[in-house]
Amino acid sequence: MTSGRGLVLPLILIWLVGCAAPNRVSNSVPARLISHNSDANSIYLVRHGWHSGLIIRRSDISSADLPEVSALGDANFVEFGWGDAAYLKSRFPNPIVLANAACLPSRSGIHVAGFQQRPEKFFADSQIIEIKMSSQQIGQLCQFIGD
């Protein structure tokens, strides 16, 4: 019976080539998805390379749905991200933590961060999509995140 050691190097090379491949996602994503609802507010999707985040104006978040938001001080916007729990908890992720996050099934976690500036200024180098939603829809989204 042969060991799996002979497969390790080819698998690492395939993974590295995949990571180094050029981004094939189109940059022609519409800047805004417009709701014709007069009660529409904005949420934002932001792309950070391998990660994505969901940004909601803090004033649109009920503390009953997401009490954690009260710990964010005077932030005007809140970003929710998700990913590998070990990576999110790591102060200084090393290559092993990164490889485990990318390649192995593991527990996930939610990253919550607040900031003051408008999303397009705070994440000036990221792709951002603005989506219009009603207050009720944003409330349902916050309830879903809180659950």
Side-chain angles (χ1 to χ4, degrees):
M1 182 171 183
T2 95
S3 75
R5 280 195 214 180
L7 292 175
V8 173
L9 184 58
L11 288 175
I12 289 174
L13 289 174
I14 290 169
W15 180 73
L16 289 173
V17 168
C19 292
N23 183 351
R24 294 208 173 21
V25 175
S26 169
N27 286 331
S28 63
V29 175
R32 296 174 190 261
L33 301 176
I34 305 290
S35 168
H36 297 291
N37 185 339
S38 61
D39 179 34
N41 295 316
S42 296
I43 67 163
Y44 305 86
L45 298 177
V46 60
R47 179 175 168 209
H48 309 289
W50 282 27
H51 299 280
S52 298
L54 173 67
I55 301 169
I56 303 174
R57 186 183 309 274
R58 183 170 179 190
S59 61
D60 291 338
I61 301 172
S62 164
S63 60
D65 295 330
L66 291 163
E68 300 83 359
V69 171
S70 63
L72 298 176
D74 57 353
N76 292 324
F77 295 91
V78 180
E79 180 193 19
F80 299 92
W82 49 93
D84 180 82
Y87 176 82
L88 290 173
K89 290 178 184 178
S90 178
R91 291 185 71 178
F92 304 103
N94 60 45
I96 293 173
V97 172
L98 293 171
N100 285 340
C103 299
L104 299 176
S106 58
R107 297 183 65 141
S108 62
I110 295 180
H111 163 82
V112 180
F115 57 95
Q116 292 277 333
Q117 295 177 317
R118 294 205 39 86
E120 14 342 300
K121 283 197 173 249
F122 192 78
F123 296 111
D125 295 330
S126 298
Q127 185 178 23
I128 298 175
I129 299 172
E130 180 180 12
I131 300 173
K132 297 286 189 175
M133 297 176 75
S134 71
S135 296
Q136 180 182 7
Q137 290 170 321
I138 293 174
Q140 290 171 336
L141 178 62
C142 291
Q143 287 174 354
F144 178 78
I145 293 169
D147 288 344

